[in-house]
């Protein structure tokens, strides 16, 4: 029997008829068609038309070690054959989850000895919500239920994840946030800093946390949650003054600090965790994405001793968990992934070699007439497309030029995302300098081509 693979058109047709994509306007998508990604190797993805594209988003911020890694494929295959599934409920456990938990305790900052496994970052943040509230109940302070987050934060798409996040379009669908979650303004200096210096603005936005805690009453506030650098919100790098002030406030009022490491964890900022880059001492760290480099779904919450000691010593049964908590195959792949990161020194490379190189070259783009600001840390970066550089005037309507630039980028063989009119990258950590040069050549060309389109805007 001969078997011919469907062509691009047939895939697109079936896709349109049956597949509801995440975060997608389906009627719009049906009109525009989809790009069918079929295989990947190293930092490149290939579509069904054979086009090779440099994936400067590492999938969706996750393929840290790059595509096609034999060790990860073998780890999955071996574990599938030996024990494809067993649960870790009812007094059972299995070697792969134990090994991964042990490895995580080794790479995590001191004071993080324990992990609760989930399947995604969203489930990790649902777990955070329940753990924070359980912790304060056990501490005899049951009023400390409110969690403070930030506008334009992203913490996932489940009900708790979307509520913790600060995305207005998500809140508008489904009557979110759920009670007990409130949001303060974000440290987005370029868009919201006005005449303040970045330093002054950072302090001002951190003090929004203090004002909110005092408004709610410190005895009612359980935790503050934030990404070290907001990812999906547009790679918002806070001014240097921001995090030290946030740390001071959390300590002063005794509220837990939850640092969402789903994007910044596992090397992206040139440190194992984004918390370390900013010198933070979190109580809980939700993780996912780079934990397995996206090869299989897995997430978790790294639980600091302050919380873990109470949950373990006094908590009794924690009525929470998932069928696939600590899935053996996902754990095997994640452990092999951490081995690669360690063996190849990817964190150190991003810290001292390829990260500084990428950032220096990315800053060149600030010379372009369309670019109002470039920013980034390690292997995550952004630039702002603006109509008037001097006045920081955005394009009107917002977001349209960003989509144009994104589409041009793909045509030029580069995945570069648009968040409104902010162009962002978060490439695989295994990029070599040659790949970075390729990325930059393409980015320059994308900006030049985008400028031609921008000329048509009034
Ligand atoms: N926290 C952060 C900081 C994230 O970026 C999640 C939690 C949720 O993880 P899961 O595994 O449940 O998706 C994320 C996810 C985008 C985009 O448009 C970003 C994410 C997810 C979907 C789209 O950049 N980040």
């Amino acid at each position: 029997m001969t078997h011919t693979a469907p062509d691009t058109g047939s895939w697109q047709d079936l896709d349109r008829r049956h597949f509801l994509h995440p975060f997608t306007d389906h009627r719009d998508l049906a009109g525009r068609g989809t790009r069918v990604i079929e295989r990947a190797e190293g930092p490149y993805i290939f579509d069904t038309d054979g086009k090779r594209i440099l994936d400067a988003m590492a999938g969706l911020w996750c393929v840290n070690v790059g595509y096609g890694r034999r060790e990860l494929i073998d780890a999955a295959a071996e574990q599938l054959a030996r024990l494809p599934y067993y649960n870790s409920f009812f007094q059972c456990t299995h070697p792969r989850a134990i090994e991964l938990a042990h490895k995580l305790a080794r790479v995590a900052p001191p004071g993080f000895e324990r992990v609760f496994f989930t399947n995604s970052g969203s489930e990790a943040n649902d777990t955070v919500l329940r753990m924070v509230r359980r912790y304060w109940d056990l501490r005899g302070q049951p009023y400390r239920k409110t969690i403070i987050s930030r506008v334009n934060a992203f913490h996932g798409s489940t009900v708790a994840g979307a509520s913790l996040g600060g995305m207005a379009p998500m809140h508008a669908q489904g009557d979110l946030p759920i009670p007990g979650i409130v949001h303060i303004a974000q440290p987005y200096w370029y868009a919201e800093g006005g005449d303040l210096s970045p330093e002054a603005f950072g302090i001002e936005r951190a003090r929004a946390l203090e004002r909110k805690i005092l408004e709610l009453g410190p005895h009612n506030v359980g935790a503050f949650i934030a990404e070290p650098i907001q990812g999906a919100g547009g790679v918002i790098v806070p001014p240097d003054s921001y995090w030290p002030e946030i740390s001071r406030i959390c300590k002063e009022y005794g509220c837990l600090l939850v640092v969402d490491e789903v994007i910044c964890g596992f090397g992206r900022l040139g440190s194992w965790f984004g918390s370390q880059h900013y010198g933070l001492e979190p109580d809980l760290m939700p993780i996912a994405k780079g934990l397995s480099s996206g090869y299989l779904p897995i997430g978790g919450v790294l639980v600091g001793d302050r919380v873990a000691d109470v949950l373990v010593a006094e908590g009794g049964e924690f009525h929470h968990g998932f069928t696939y908590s600590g899935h053996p195959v996902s754990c095997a792949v994640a452990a092999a992934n951490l081995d690669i990161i360690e063996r190849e020194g990817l964190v150190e490379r991003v810290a001292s070699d390829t990260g500084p190189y990428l950032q220096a070259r990315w800053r060149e783009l600030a010379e372009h007439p369309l670019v109002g600001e470039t920013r980034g840390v390690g292997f995550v970066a952004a630039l702002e497309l603006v109509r008037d550089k001097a006045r920081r005037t955005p394009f009107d309507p917002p977001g349209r030029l960003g989509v144009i630039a994104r589409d041009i980028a793909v045509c030029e063989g580069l995945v570069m995302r648009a968040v409104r009119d902010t162009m962002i990258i978060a490439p695989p950590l295994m990029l070599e300098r040659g790949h970075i040069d390729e990325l930059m050549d393409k980015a320059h060309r994308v900006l030049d081509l985008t400028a031609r389109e921008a000329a048509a805007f009034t």
Side-chain angles (χ1 to χ4, degrees):
M1 193 177 76
T2 57
H3 177 80
T4 44
D7 60 16
T8 302
S10 313
W11 283 125
Q12 288 172 329
D13 188 41
L14 289 170
D15 185 59
R16 184 164 41 239
R17 278 163 39 201
H18 303 296
F19 184 6
L20 291 173
H21 294 226
F23 281 100
T24 294
D25 175 337
H26 291 93
R27 200 169 57 183
D28 178 58
L29 184 74
R32 288 152 53 87
T34 38
R35 182 173 297 279
V36 186
I37 307 303
E38 184 197 34
R39 67 187 182 88
E41 188 59 40
Y44 299 103
I45 55 174
F46 297 82
D47 69 16
T48 42
D49 295 330
K51 188 176 176 64
R52 188 180 86 147
I53 306 166
L54 178 63
D55 182 10
M57 277 308 297
L60 202 46
W61 321 82
C62 53
V63 187
N64 287 9
V65 299
Y67 298 96
R69 289 297 190 126
R70 195 71 246 167
E71 300 94 311
L72 303 195
I73 300 160
D74 291 345
E78 277 163 29
Q79 190 56 36
L80 279 166
R82 178 177 284 275
L83 180 72
Y85 175 74
Y86 202 70
N87 67 65
S88 45
F89 296 44
F90 322 125
Q91 285 188 293
C92 290
T93 188
H94 51 77
R96 296 297 88 79
I98 301 167
E99 272 168 9
L100 181 60
H102 181 215
K103 266 189 211 298
L104 283 167
R106 200 161 47 69
V107 300
F112 281 86
E113 295 294 328
R114 295 183 181 86
V115 59
F116 190 100
F117 286 119
T118 67
N119 305 290
S120 67
S122 299
E123 287 178 6
N125 281 321
D126 277 53
T127 303
V128 160
L129 181 113
R130 301 203 58 206
M131 255 184 201
V132 165
R133 293 182 171 174
R134 180 80 186 128
Y135 169 78
W136 287 115
D137 275 343
L138 290 166
R139 289 284 312 273
Q141 300 180 53
Y143 299 111
R144 288 194 100 138
K145 291 288 156 64
T146 300
I147 302 181
I148 302 176
S149 179
R150 304 182 297 180
V151 171
N152 198 34
F154 195 86
H155 296 297
S157 218
T158 51
V159 169
S163 295
L164 289 167
M167 298 293 177
M170 293 174 78
H171 289 174
Q173 296 177 352
D175 299 336
L176 303 177
I178 55 172
I181 295 173
V182 298
H183 298 82
I184 58 171
Q186 59 179 331
Y188 189 1
W189 177 79
Y190 188 78
E192 301 174 6
D195 294 333
L196 291 181
S197 69
E199 294 311 292
F201 179 72
I203 296 284
E204 157 60 24
R205 284 290 154 102
R207 297 256 166 91
L209 176 61
E210 188 161 40
R211 289 194 293 275
K212 183 57 81 178
I213 290 173
L214 292 171
E215 175 196 322
L216 295 165
H219 57 287
N220 292 318
V221 177
F224 173 65
I225 182 169
E227 306 150 76
I229 290 174
Q230 287 153 263
V235 183
I236 315 293
V237 181
D240 289 343
S241 56
Y242 182 76
W243 274 116
E245 185 66 1
I246 289 283
S247 296
R248 175 195 68 78
I249 293 165
C250 288
K251 286 205 175 91
E252 185 162 334
Y253 298 98
C255 80
L256 296 173
L257 175 60
V258 183
V259 177
D260 185 331
E261 296 277 2
V262 168
I263 283 178
C264 294
F266 305 103
R268 186 145 302 283
L269 305 190
S271 47
W272 272 94
F273 296 93
S275 305
Q276 294 163 316
H277 177 79
Y278 285 110
L280 307 177
E281 293 174 28
D283 297 293
L284 298 171
M285 294 198 290
I287 54 174
K289 292 192 189 277
L291 169 58
S292 65
S293 283
Y295 278 57
L296 282 175
I298 183 167
V301 182
L302 298 179
V303 185
D305 292 344
R306 173 178 172 192
V307 174
D309 290 348
V310 173
L311 287 182
V312 171
E314 302 162 33
E317 180 174 345
F318 184 39
H319 294 274
H320 180 73
F322 307 99
T323 303
Y324 302 125
S325 286
H327 190 284
V329 187
S330 299
C331 286
V333 168
N337 174 62
L338 299 186
D339 285 347
I340 292 179
I341 294 176
E342 282 194 309
R343 197 174 59 242
E344 298 186 0
L346 290 181
V347 179
E348 296 74 21
R349 217 164 94 185
V350 168
S352 61
D353 177 19
T354 49
Y357 184 66
L358 174 69
Q359 292 301 330
R361 294 230 47 206
W362 187 258
R363 296 296 185 279
E364 291 168 11
L365 299 171
E367 301 300 314
H368 197 279
L370 269 189
V371 177
E373 185 192 55
T374 53
R375 56 177 180 263
V377 175
F379 259 38
V380 62
L383 60 82
E384 301 276 359
L385 299 175
V386 285
R387 194 154 60 83
D388 183 333
K389 279 168 86 102
R391 294 194 180 80
R392 292 194 235 157
T393 317
F395 281 100
D396 190 25
R400 202 165 97 198
L401 194 63
V403 171
I404 290 171
R406 182 198 67 189
D407 291 347
I408 290 173
V410 174
C411 287
E412 294 301 311
L414 174 68
V415 177
M416 177 162 69
R417 274 271 309 281
V419 176
R420 301 172 303 276
D421 288 326
T422 307
M423 305 310 297
I424 60 176
I425 57 162
L429 308 186
M430 40 62 73
L431 289 196
E432 314 249 345
R433 283 178 177 236
H435 297 123
I436 294 172
D437 291 337
E438 179 187 340
L439 194 168
M440 293 309 308
D441 288 348
K442 288 179 172 171
H444 276 287
R445 194 169 154 68
V446 170
L447 289 176
D448 288 343
L449 293 170
T450 304
R452 287 193 209 161
E453 301 291 326
F457 280 49
T458 48

